[in-house]
Amino acid sequence: MATKTAAERREVARQAFDAYFSQCPSRKLLDRLSDKWVTLVLTALERGPCRYSDLARRIAGVSQKMLTQTLRGLERDGLVTRTLTPSVPVRVDYELTPLGESLMPLVAAIKSWAEAHIEDVEQARERYDAVSA
């Protein structure tokens, strides 16, 4: 087994968390966070715990399958917790974890920017489409 120099070890460590490298774990996290359903679920949970059915009603257009997959992924990543309350029917609540809460200023800023600038973006799209047609 070849011995690595200190510089080689530093380079390997640097690449380990560089999202520009395809195998970087942070790239997988960026992929998840850039999903539209993730943004909407996180902002819906920002106000506090929420039942599955409340999330489904609040997030227009999300299918049951996509909401379930999104919540499972967020739970796996440690951004959301799932709490079961034994009752008839069983009650399931979702809530942001402290890690999820730490992400909210960024997610809320992106959502606010999108809402504030959608008219500018739509105008740019119209100009582009008119020239490209």
Side-chain angles (χ1 to χ4, degrees), residues 90-105:
V90 173
R91 179 183 171 122
V92 180
D93 291 289
Y94 293 90
E95 184 175 10
L96 292 175
T97 64
L99 183 61
E101 289 173 0
S102 72
L103 180 62
M104 289 317 299

Side-chain angles (χ1 to χ4, degrees), residues 17 36 40 64 81 84 89 91 95 121 130:
F17 294 107
K36 70 178 175 183
L40 294 172
Q64 182 178 353
T81 59
L84 286 164
R91 179 183 171 122
E95 184 175 10
V121 171

Side-chain angles (χ1 to χ4, degrees), residues 2-54:
T3 304
K4 292 185 179 181
T5 67
E8 289 171 330
R9 286 192 305 272
R10 282 192 303 273
E11 180 61 18
V12 168
R14 184 187 68 77
Q15 289 179 7
F17 294 107
D18 184 343
Y20 290 108
F21 291 100
S22 64
Q23 299 306 312
C24 178
S26 64
R27 181 181 269 193
K28 293 175 186 170
L29 182 57
L30 284 172
D31 286 343
R32 175 160 342 269
L33 296 177
S34 64
D35 181 88
K36 70 178 175 183
W37 300 122
V38 166
T39 302
L40 294 172
V41 167
L42 291 174
T43 55
L45 291 173
E46 188 174 25
R47 296 181 188 161
C50 209
R51 294 179 76 169
Y52 181 94
S53 57
D54 295 332

Side-chain angles (χ1 to χ4, degrees), residues 58-131:
R58 176 137 171 87
I59 305 169
V62 68
S63 67
Q64 182 178 353
K65 177 184 175 184
M66 284 310 303
L67 182 56
T68 299
Q69 285 179 354
T70 301
L71 288 165
R72 285 181 182 162
L74 291 170
E75 185 179 8
R76 182 173 183 252
D77 290 340
L79 301 174
V80 168
T81 59
R82 179 177 182 258
T83 305
L84 286 164
T85 304
S87 61
V88 178
V90 173
R91 179 183 171 122
V92 180
D93 291 289
Y94 293 90
E95 184 175 10
L96 292 175
T97 64
L99 183 61
E101 289 173 0
S102 72
L103 180 62
M104 289 317 299
L106 300 170
V107 173
I110 291 170
K111 180 180 172 283
S112 294
W113 183 91
E115 292 168 344
H117 294 282
I118 187 59
E119 289 179 10
D120 299 326
V121 171
E122 286 178 343
Q123 289 172 4
R125 288 174 179 169
E126 288 173 12
R127 285 192 303 273
Y128 180 89
D129 292 346
V131 172

